[in-house]
Amino acid sequence: MITRADRANPLRWYLAALLIGIVLSLLEGYPLLKFQAQRLAEIVPALGLLAWCYRRQPAAFFSEPVLSGWYGLGLVGFAAAALLSGAVGAIPWISLGFLGLMLLQFGLLPLLQPVWQRHGADLVRLLALFTVAVLGMDVGIWLLARAFEVTPYAWVLRPEPGGGMAEAPYLYLNSRWANQLTVLLIWTFVPLLQQLQQRVIVRQRRFWWVICAAVPLLGLSQIVLNQGDGALLAVVVGGAGLALAGWRSTAEGRRLCWMATGLLLGAGLLAALLSAALNAGDFFTEFAQRGAEQLAPAAPTAQKRIVLWPAYARAVLASPWLGAGIPAIAPASPECTPHNLWLALLHWTGLLGTAAALALATAFVPRHWSGRGVSVMALPLLLSLFVYQLVDDIWLRPLALALLLVLLPGLKLLDAAQPSPQLLAQQKAPQRWLQRFAFPAATYRLLAVVGVLLITVSSVVPGGVGFAPSALVTMPKAACLLFF
């Protein structure tokens, strides 16, 4: 039953608005307009959260630090590095838009951690339902496309007998973007499983067990059906980390982790059987072959990792400290991005920006794995996210960014027996110079507002992100779709 307190949960309405935006984007077939619709599906709910943060606040909101100084230093340091690299690079106004996006996302993150502390149990169930809805749509559309012999993840028009044109619905512009949401959402079943095991959920348990089992089944089916090699590798590593955590846990934690791992294995087997029944290829036997093809010697124009990574690595060496601005394309690269988080950060913001980005992780990467609450999914989610970011670029896509805004603040929740965030911030930052970066919540709210202003400026000035592919960030044979 939904309590009055849970109805006031802003992330409940954020997820509802995001889901509505995703569904509405199905109505648009033209790829550029679909991309714009998904941009709006991400930014409008985020602006709603920012507006919610401007309600009446207690005095502590304006004076007491909410996170350690390392996070504040990382946010300010990354902003300064991104601003400098963009100013000296070839795409200053585009880089300004991406800087604004970073300030909005990471300015909101400290403001959403208290929401997780108050509504964590409710959000666990909401995220599982959201996952089933989104992944269910994706797998359902794939199966329909297969039944009607339509290419999935593509804008397909077919002539009708009356002379008109019929459009086949699709949700993502390519399968990689679909895999990104799966990597982020598949672990939402773990804290839900914990609630079921601990009997936190006492009503409609059969329904919630179905939801709990459906999340890994839909996630792995989506990966197997569209042959997401990097996504499968990421989920396998996350699952291995979860099993290892169970081996080192108490009896209750072991039961949770090993049952979650068993659900993953069972879902993987069912996904393989579904793929075989549909004659969609033997995914698991072809996995190693497809991975080897990406690393085999290839022509300089081939769109393979063996070509992309050296091209971006050479560009990093050309400007190691400042970078070239976000999201500049490296010379001789055949694609818009390197499909590797670290090469992207180094090329775009240099060593200074990458070091600052690592400091930002102090807000959502726990020092120790916790077997309670939503933190149980921190280990597998962060492991899979780290692995997947070595071969893809989740942090540049609208819907993936929209989910990161919800998930990251919940990965490092404090137990009730621990000191307050304010006391922890003081304990972790005894140095006076670092304590200056232990900002109150009001400061992060202001930085998020500055981010919105930078996005607006970059959207309207010539040479900014605009509302169409930019000539400044475009490949010879294809348009690079910028988030901003």
Side-chain angles (χ1 to χ4, degrees), residues 126-342:
L126 286 174
L127 276 170
L129 288 173
F130 180 90
T131 300
V132 170
V134 173
L135 298 188
M137 280 192 294
D138 189 25
V139 173
I141 291 172
W142 193 99
L143 293 175
L144 285 174
R146 178 80 177 186
F148 289 94
E149 298 181 344
V150 174
T151 303
Y153 307 111
W155 186 34
V156 177
L157 293 173
R158 284 190 170 183
E160 293 182 323
M165 301 296 290
E167 290 189 39
Y170 69 105
L171 190 56
Y172 307 103
L173 300 182
N174 57 60
S175 60
R176 287 193 304 107
W177 293 18
N179 293 338
Q180 291 172 3
L181 267 68
T182 301
V183 169
L184 291 174
L185 290 173
I186 194 171
W187 305 108
T188 57
F189 83 97
V190 181
L192 178 61
L193 176 62
Q194 184 183 56
Q195 287 192 12
L196 288 165
Q197 287 185 344
Q198 296 178 349
R199 301 196 74 84
V200 174
I201 299 175
V202 295
R203 301 181 62 183
Q204 299 178 321
R205 287 177 57 82
R206 183 176 298 178
F207 167 79
W208 288 109
W209 273 112
V210 171
I211 295 297
C212 186
V215 170
L217 177 59
L218 289 171
L220 283 169
S221 296
Q222 188 271 338
I223 291 173
V224 170
L225 291 175
N226 67 48
Q227 300 185 341
D229 299 342
L232 177 67
L233 179 61
V235 171
V236 168
V237 171
L242 191 62
L244 180 61
W247 179 64
R248 302 184 61 181
S249 298
T250 60
E252 184 179 357
R254 187 177 305 115
R255 178 169 169 257
L256 169 66
C257 294
W258 287 1
M259 186 171 181
T261 306
L263 285 175
L264 273 178
L265 292 174
L269 176 61
L270 290 175
L273 292 175
L274 175 63
S275 177
L278 296 174
N279 195 25
D282 192 340
F283 175 84
F284 294 100
T285 57
E286 296 173 2
F287 173 79
Q289 179 182 354
R290 289 191 297 266
E293 289 176 354
Q294 287 290 327
L295 301 177
T301 57
Q303 296 180 339
K304 294 184 177 181
R305 271 51 170 187
I306 193 63
V307 176
L308 286 173
W309 292 343
Y312 274 86
R314 290 190 296 270
V316 169
L317 295 176
S319 182
W321 291 103
L322 296 181
I326 309 173
I329 301 174
S333 169
E335 286 202 13
C336 305
T337 67
H339 298 302
N340 183 296
L341 173 66
W342 304 109

Side-chain angles (χ1 to χ4, degrees), residues 3-34:
T3 65
R4 183 176 181 180
D6 287 337
R7 282 197 296 269
N9 175 7
L11 287 178
R12 169 181 287 272
W13 306 109
Y14 175 89
L15 287 172
L18 179 59
L19 182 59
I20 291 172
I22 291 174
V23 172
L24 291 177
S25 72
L26 279 171
L27 302 178
E28 179 55 56
Y30 185 55
L32 294 182
L33 292 181
K34 181 180 288 289

Side-chain angles (χ1 to χ4, degrees), residues 31-48:
L32 294 182
L33 292 181
K34 181 180 288 289
F35 187 73
Q36 298 294 354
Q38 294 182 353
R39 277 170 131 187
L40 292 175
E42 195 278 339
I43 196 65
V44 171
L47 291 177

Side-chain angles (χ1 to χ4, degrees), residues 116 120-121 124 187-188 190-195 198 200 252 256 369-378 410-415:
W116 270 102
V124 164
W187 305 108
T188 57
V190 181
L192 178 61
L193 176 62
Q194 184 183 56
Q195 287 192 12
Q198 296 178 349
V200 174
E252 184 179 357
L256 169 66
W369 181 77
S370 171
R372 287 177 286 181
V374 71
S375 298
V376 299
M377 73 174 181
L411 299 183
K412 196 177 178 182
L413 294 183
L414 300 176
D415 296 326

